[in-house]
Amino acid sequence: MLCRFFCAAVLLCVAASISFAQDPTKVEPKHYRLQFENDRVQVVSVHYGPHEKSEMHDHPGGVVVVITGGHLRFTNQDGKVTEVYAKEGEARWFPPFKHRVENLGDEPYNAVYIGVKGKIAAANGSNSDSPLNPEQVAQILADAQAPPKP
Protein backbone atom coordinates (compact mmCIF):
# COMPACT_ATOMS: atom_id res chain seq x y z
CA MET A 1 0.00 0.00 0.00
CA LEU A 2 2.79 2.41 0.90
CA CYS A 3 4.55 1.55 -2.37
CA ARG A 4 1.43 2.44 -4.40
CA PHE A 5 1.11 5.76 -2.61
CA PHE A 6 4.78 6.56 -3.18
CA CYS A 7 4.60 5.64 -6.90
CA ALA A 8 1.45 7.73 -7.36
CA ALA A 9 3.12 10.70 -5.64
CA VAL A 10 6.20 10.42 -7.88
CA LEU A 11 4.07 10.25 -11.03
CA LEU A 12 2.04 13.26 -9.89
CA CYS A 13 5.22 15.28 -9.27
CA VAL A 14 6.65 14.37 -12.67
CA ALA A 15 3.40 15.27 -14.44
CA ALA A 16 3.14 18.55 -12.54
CA SER A 17 6.70 19.56 -13.40
CA ILE A 18 6.11 18.81 -17.07
CA SER A 19 2.86 20.76 -17.22
CA PHE A 20 4.19 23.77 -15.29
CA ALA A 21 7.57 24.29 -16.97
CA GLN A 22 7.62 23.64 -20.68
CA ASP A 23 10.71 25.45 -21.91
CA PRO A 24 10.20 26.21 -25.61
CA THR A 25 13.82 25.31 -26.44
CA LYS A 26 13.17 21.82 -25.04
CA VAL A 27 9.61 21.09 -26.23
CA GLU A 28 9.82 23.05 -29.51
CA PRO A 29 13.46 22.95 -30.69
CA LYS A 30 12.30 23.27 -34.30
CA HIS A 31 10.92 26.75 -33.54
CA TYR A 32 13.02 27.97 -30.59
CA ARG A 33 16.82 27.93 -30.35
CA LEU A 34 18.67 29.08 -27.24
CA GLN A 35 21.24 31.74 -28.09
CA PHE A 36 22.30 32.83 -24.60
CA GLU A 37 21.26 32.24 -21.01
CA ASN A 38 22.39 33.24 -17.56
CA ASP A 39 20.66 33.77 -14.21
CA ARG A 40 19.06 37.01 -15.48
CA VAL A 41 17.97 36.47 -19.11
CA GLN A 42 17.22 33.81 -21.69
CA VAL A 43 17.73 34.90 -25.32
CA VAL A 44 15.93 32.67 -27.81
CA SER A 45 15.76 32.78 -31.62
CA VAL A 46 12.22 32.18 -32.86
CA HIS A 47 11.45 30.76 -36.30
CA TYR A 48 8.13 29.56 -37.71
CA GLY A 49 7.94 28.51 -41.34
CA PRO A 50 4.76 29.23 -43.30
CA HIS A 51 1.72 27.62 -41.63
CA GLU A 52 3.81 25.88 -38.93
CA LYS A 53 2.29 25.24 -35.50
CA SER A 54 3.78 24.67 -32.07
CA GLU A 55 2.82 22.64 -29.03
CA MET A 56 1.90 24.29 -25.73
CA HIS A 57 4.96 25.88 -24.06
CA ASP A 58 5.93 28.57 -21.52
CA HIS A 59 7.88 31.81 -21.73
CA PRO A 60 9.16 33.92 -18.85
CA GLY A 61 8.15 37.57 -18.96
CA GLY A 62 10.22 39.40 -21.54
CA VAL A 63 10.57 41.29 -24.77
CA VAL A 64 10.04 39.96 -28.27
CA VAL A 65 11.84 41.77 -31.09
CA VAL A 66 10.34 40.95 -34.48
CA ILE A 67 12.89 40.33 -37.25
CA THR A 68 10.46 39.45 -40.06
CA GLY A 69 6.79 40.26 -39.59
CA GLY A 70 3.96 37.81 -39.76
CA HIS A 71 0.34 36.93 -39.10
CA LEU A 72 0.23 34.71 -36.00
CA ARG A 73 -2.42 32.95 -33.97
CA PHE A 74 -1.77 32.48 -30.26
CA THR A 75 -3.89 30.10 -28.18
CA ASN A 76 -3.33 30.35 -24.43
CA GLN A 77 -3.67 27.55 -21.90
CA ASP A 78 -7.35 28.48 -21.31
CA GLY A 79 -8.16 28.21 -25.04
CA LYS A 80 -8.38 31.97 -25.66
CA VAL A 81 -7.32 32.73 -29.24
CA THR A 82 -5.60 35.97 -30.28
CA GLU A 83 -4.45 36.85 -33.79
CA VAL A 84 -1.51 39.22 -34.10
CA TYR A 85 0.01 41.01 -37.06
CA ALA A 86 3.64 41.37 -35.96
CA LYS A 87 5.57 44.12 -37.74
CA GLU A 88 9.25 43.96 -38.65
CA GLY A 89 11.34 45.83 -36.09
CA GLU A 90 8.58 45.93 -33.49
CA ALA A 91 9.36 45.22 -29.82
CA ARG A 92 6.71 44.21 -27.28
CA TRP A 93 6.74 43.33 -23.59
CA PHE A 94 4.92 40.18 -22.47
CA PRO A 95 4.34 39.01 -18.89
CA PRO A 96 5.01 35.29 -18.27
CA PHE A 97 2.69 33.19 -20.44
CA LYS A 98 1.89 29.74 -21.77
CA HIS A 99 0.59 29.27 -25.33
CA ARG A 100 0.55 27.53 -28.69
CA VAL A 101 1.53 29.42 -31.85
CA GLU A 102 0.52 29.10 -35.47
CA ASN A 103 2.02 31.08 -38.33
CA LEU A 104 -1.00 31.88 -40.50
CA GLY A 105 1.11 33.51 -43.21
CA ASP A 106 2.76 32.27 -46.39
CA GLU A 107 6.16 33.65 -45.32
CA PRO A 108 8.48 32.61 -42.46
CA TYR A 109 8.23 34.50 -39.16
CA ASN A 110 11.45 35.29 -37.25
CA ALA A 111 12.00 37.02 -33.93
CA VAL A 112 14.20 37.10 -30.85
CA TYR A 113 12.61 36.58 -27.43
CA ILE A 114 14.51 37.98 -24.46
CA GLY A 115 13.05 36.32 -21.39
CA VAL A 116 13.83 38.25 -18.24
CA LYS A 117 14.27 36.22 -15.07
CA GLY A 118 13.57 37.38 -11.52
CA LYS A 119 11.95 40.51 -10.17
CA ILE A 120 11.73 42.46 -13.44
CA ALA A 121 9.62 39.80 -15.13
CA ALA A 122 7.36 39.34 -12.11
CA ALA A 123 6.93 43.05 -11.37
CA ASN A 124 5.87 44.22 -14.82
CA GLY A 125 2.34 43.09 -15.54
CA SER A 126 1.84 45.76 -18.18
CA ASN A 127 -0.51 45.46 -21.15
CA SER A 128 0.97 42.93 -23.59
CA ASP A 129 -0.47 44.86 -26.55
CA SER A 130 1.64 47.94 -25.78
CA PRO A 131 4.70 48.10 -28.04
CA LEU A 132 7.90 49.15 -26.27
CA ASN A 133 10.05 51.92 -27.58
CA PRO A 134 13.80 51.31 -27.98
CA GLU A 135 14.60 53.20 -24.76
CA GLN A 136 12.32 50.88 -22.75
CA VAL A 137 13.94 47.79 -24.27
CA ALA A 138 17.40 49.19 -23.49
CA GLN A 139 16.36 49.93 -19.88
CA ILE A 140 15.01 46.40 -19.33
CA LEU A 141 18.21 44.88 -20.69
CA ALA A 142 20.39 47.27 -18.64
CA ASP A 143 18.46 46.42 -15.47
CA ALA A 144 18.85 42.71 -16.21
CA GLN A 145 22.64 43.12 -16.45
CA ALA A 146 22.93 45.06 -13.17
CA PRO A 147 24.44 43.13 -10.25
CA PRO A 148 21.89 41.82 -7.73
CA LYS A 149 21.08 44.09 -4.80
CA PRO A 150 22.02 42.71 -1.36
Side-chain angles (χ1 to χ4, degrees):
M1 179 70 163
L2 185 59
C3 182
R4 281 186 180 164
F5 176 77
F6 179 75
C7 289
V10 169
L11 286 174
L12 182 62
C13 289
V14 169
S17 68
I18 290 169
S19 67
F20 287 119
Q22 296 178 339
D23 182 337
T25 63
K26 306 269 190 290
V27 298
E28 283 292 325
K30 177 179 179 181
H31 299 120
Y32 299 92
R33 193 173 82 229
L34 184 64
Q35 295 296 318
F36 173 81
E37 184 170 27
N38 63 20
D39 61 334
R40 298 189 179 272
V41 296
Q42 180 188 54
V43 180
V44 177
S45 291
V46 181
H47 173 80
Y48 281 88
H51 307 284
E52 288 185 348
K53 299 177 185 179
S54 76
E55 297 297 325
M56 189 67 67
H57 58 274
D58 295 314
H59 293 278
V63 176
V64 65
V65 179
V66 179
I67 307 300
T68 57
H71 181 196
L72 306 171
R73 176 183 295 140
F74 298 102
T75 305
N76 74 12
Q77 61 190 8
D78 299 323
K80 181 182 176 196
V81 175
T82 305
E83 287 192 22
V84 172
Y85 290 90
K87 298 176 185 161
E88 182 178 319
E90 179 178 59
R92 291 181 183 237
W93 168 263
F94 289 93
F97 60 99
K98 185 173 187 174
H99 69 169
R100 282 190 306 267
V101 179
E102 179 179 0
N103 179 358
L104 299 173
D106 293 329
E107 299 294 326
Y109 168 78
N110 294 284
V112 174
Y113 191 82
I114 303 142
V116 182
K117 299 177 181 181
K119 292 180 182 177
I120 296 170
N124 190 337
S126 65
N127 181 351
S128 64
D129 291 333
S130 299
L132 293 172
N133 64 43
E135 292 80 20
Q136 290 168 310
V137 173
Q139 184 61 51
I140 289 169
L141 295 175
D143 289 346
Q145 293 175 352
K149 294 180 182 176

